[in-house]
Amino acid sequence: MAENAASSPMTLGTKSISKLLVQYSVPAIIASLATSLYNIVDSIFIGRGVGAMAIAGLAITFPLMNLVIAFCTLIAVGGATISSIYLGQKNMSKATDVVNNVFVLCLIHSVVFGGLTLLFLDEILYFFGATRETISYAREFMEVILYGTPISFVFIGLNNVMRATGYPKKAMISALLSVGVNVILAPIFIFKFHWGIKGAATATIIGQSVAFIWVLVHFISKKSFIHFQRDNKWLSWTILKRIYAIGLSPFLMNVCACIVVIFINKALLDYGAEAGNLCVGAYGILNRTTMFFVMIVFGVTQGMQPILGFNFGAGNWDRVKKTLKLGIIIGIIVTTIGWLITELLPNAVSSLFTVDKALIDIARRGFRIYFIVYPVVGCQIVIQNYFQSVGMPKLSIFLSLTRQLIFLIPFLIIFPRYFGVDGVWASMSASDLIATFVALITLWYQMRKESRLMKERSSTTTG
């Protein structure tokens, strides 16, 4: 059984869309908010407890952290989408196969990725923009994170499947456990034990270990609607292909984010001159802030995913369209609030992370330019995740590439030559604006195509 009879996965095809969005999105948003707050609080502890260079060192790890997330979400998102589609088709055995496969794949990915990255960690960090002043901070942080990847991967992978198979509240609790333990331990490790940036990373892994146990117990328990079954498939080539096909979109999105951050860091170091490391630190502040609002939108899309997947699998097209429309409206509202806060209070936001006046000044300027078209970002994120949720990974990948590679990287090469550091911030806002137009055009075309197919099926049935 699921959390209760009213929240059974089968109600995804019958219950009010707005009620389902509240039921599934609110726990996901709370979990995403908690994760965002953890990232922000962690950065505040590091900035105030270790120093401005530590913030810059943390920003250097962003590309590598994006790669960690990329290899994890490749499995997590694909597994969650497929399991919800199988539930919509009432195929419980296949949904169970997916859970088993997600667990094994997470372990394999974590060991291979974590082990190889640890072998070449310094070289990777220097390539990502580390300097003599920031390399030690970046290395200390990532060593701990990489040793903990088996725990991180399994926790994140299974938590996504938990939400998709009818347990949004339990998925929220696991995220809150991870964040809560982390927020409690981080200041103790940094300020009392004086472990520096390594203390922040250690607190992260301990928090994820607690959540890992919570999620594992759920899927071991036979009381769970979908749980581990020894006799079901643990590595199926058919399921692997589907997981990778659908998970490829968020994977590429995070790989692109990794590449983009490398370009951003290098442009800031080059055009920031003597203040290059502080510019990288300012980007770290901007990145943490923008991710706070982006993660809320991701929470909405995570809540939409089982609703979209189930109803698409069941052929309920009207319910799919209504879910998408509500999601876009909510996404735009969230990023508009983010724009208002950062435009009106850039100093206050920057001062949360550091007391360094030079760093605050650079971050304030970045907020003014970077966030100028931020309201449209919510729309673009929801549309991209819509295609992913209904099993159209190619369109989702296309939209991800337009923003992060096709538009942003050329802008990062051209704009800073004429506008310096301001050109770096402007590159990001310009790519967001153009990518949103492309997403809207793609959605309009695909909606017309789907509506035409539905009419043809309807006329064929009638005839």
Side-chain angles (χ1 to χ4, degrees):
M1 296 295 290
E3 288 172 352
N4 53 56
S7 64
S8 165
M10 295 307 152
T11 64
L12 289 166
T14 57
K15 195 173 180 179
S16 161
I17 295 296
S18 56
K19 289 181 179 178
L20 283 170
L21 266 179
V22 171
Q23 177 185 327
Y24 279 83
S25 289
V26 169
I29 289 169
I30 292 172
S32 296
L33 265 176
T35 302
S36 297
L37 285 171
Y38 138 67
N39 286 328
I40 289 172
V41 170
D42 225 23
S43 297
I44 291 171
F45 289 149
I46 291 169
R48 290 179 171 269
V50 189
M53 282 301 108
I55 284 282
L58 185 65
I60 293 299
T61 69
F62 289 169
L64 191 48
M65 289 297 291
N66 282 328
L67 280 181
V68 172
I69 295 168
F71 280 94
C72 186
T73 55
L74 176 61
I75 309 161
V77 174
T81 300
I82 296 166
S83 61
S84 64
I85 290 173
Y86 280 139
L87 283 175
Q89 297 169 347
K90 297 181 173 58
N91 193 334
M92 305 305 156
S93 179
K94 283 287 188 182
T96 301
D97 288 344
V98 173
V99 173
N100 290 357
N101 277 257
V102 166
F103 177 72
V104 174
L105 282 175
C106 283
L107 288 176
I108 294 172
H109 274 228
S110 63
V111 171
V112 173
F113 175 80
L116 288 174
T117 306
L118 278 167
L119 285 175
F120 305 100
L121 184 56
D122 273 22
E123 292 86 348
I124 292 170
L125 291 173
Y126 275 120
F127 178 73
F128 287 165
T131 62
R132 285 183 299 175
E133 293 84 4
T134 59
I135 184 65
S136 61
Y137 297 111
R139 184 197 307 117
E140 286 181 14
F141 185 83
M142 284 310 307
E143 279 178 346
V144 177
I145 295 297
L146 290 169
Y147 280 123
T149 48
I151 290 169
S152 305
F153 275 46
V154 173
F155 155 53
I156 295 171
L158 291 181
N159 202 51
N160 274 265
V161 177
M162 180 191 289
R163 182 182 299 106
T165 53
Y167 295 87
K169 290 181 182 177
K170 291 189 79 172
M172 173 191 72
I173 290 171
S174 61
L176 291 176
L177 281 171
S178 172
V179 172
V181 171
N182 186 9
V183 170
I184 292 169
L185 293 181
I188 296 173
F189 292 164
I190 292 172
F191 295 105
K192 185 164 181 67
F193 293 170
H194 304 291
W195 289 358
I197 200 169
K198 185 182 289 186
T202 304
T204 297
I205 296 302
I206 293 174
Q208 290 181 345
S209 299
V210 174
F212 163 83
I213 294 169
W214 167 266
V215 174
L216 208 59
V217 168
H218 167 83
F219 282 105
I220 291 172
S221 173
K222 293 184 178 180
K223 293 180 181 180
S224 301
F225 192 80
I226 300 293
H227 55 270
F228 294 135
Q229 294 272 17
R230 183 182 299 175
D231 296 332
N232 279 67
K233 296 175 182 177
W234 290 84
L235 269 182
S236 163
W237 178 239
T238 303
I239 290 175
L240 292 186
K241 285 194 295 184
R242 290 200 69 187
I243 286 176
Y244 285 135
I246 294 175
L248 190 60
S249 171
F251 172 79
L252 288 178
M253 182 175 70
N254 282 291
V255 170
C256 288
C258 168
I259 295 169
V260 164
V261 173
I262 295 171
F263 274 86
I264 291 171
N265 283 344
K266 289 188 178 297
L268 291 171
L269 287 169
D270 290 342
Y271 293 96
E274 293 180 0
N277 283 322
L278 286 179
C279 289
V280 172
Y283 173 63
I285 292 173
L286 267 65
N287 182 277
R288 288 305 196 205
T289 307
T290 188
M291 285 308 296
F292 175 80
F293 298 102
V294 166
M295 288 297 286
I296 298 175
V297 181
F298 279 157
V300 175
T301 61
Q302 285 173 354
M304 291 169 61
Q305 184 271 317
I307 306 170
L308 289 168
F310 186 100
N311 285 286
F312 189 83
N316 299 328
W317 181 238
D318 287 339
R319 291 175 65 80
V320 170
K321 288 193 291 185
K322 188 172 181 180
T323 304
L324 174 61
K325 182 180 178 180
L326 281 172
I328 290 174
I329 292 170
I330 296 168
I332 292 173
I333 290 171
V334 170
T335 48
T336 299
I337 292 170
W339 169 72
L340 286 170
I341 291 173
T342 54
E343 286 295 313
L344 296 174
L345 304 168
N347 269 18
V349 176
S350 303
S351 298
L352 288 174
F353 296 88
T354 182
V355 293
D356 189 296
K357 188 177 182 304
L359 181 54
I360 291 172
D361 289 342
I362 297 170
R364 179 183 65 245
R365 180 76 175 172
F367 277 126
R368 296 289 192 198
I369 302 170
Y370 181 16
F371 276 74
I372 195 166
V373 298
Y374 199 61
V376 304
V377 172
C379 175
Q380 201 267 345
I381 292 171
V382 172
I383 293 173
Q384 180 185 316
N385 280 273
Y386 159 75
F387 289 119
Q388 177 182 295
S389 297
V390 297
M392 298 181 186
K394 290 181 181 178
L395 286 175
S396 185
I397 292 167
F398 165 70
L399 294 180
S400 176
L401 291 177
T402 57
R403 177 185 178 271
Q404 300 197 74
L405 285 184
I406 298 173
F407 300 136
L408 182 52
I409 288 183
F411 289 158
L412 283 170
I413 294 171
I414 298 168
F415 286 8
R417 293 181 181 179
Y418 299 99
F419 307 108
V421 172
D422 285 352
V424 178
W425 312 133
S427 298
M428 292 183 270
S429 54
S431 64
D432 281 336
L433 183 62
I434 298 174
T436 301
F437 281 122
V438 172
L440 287 168
I441 293 168
T442 305
L443 179 64
W444 173 78
Y445 173 80
Q446 191 62 32
M447 284 293 181
R448 286 191 64 186
K449 182 179 176 182
E450 291 293 335
S451 295
R452 187 168 58 250
L453 287 172
M454 289 294 172
K455 287 179 182 177
E456 290 174 1
R457 289 172 191 164
S458 178
S459 61
T460 302
T461 305
T462 305

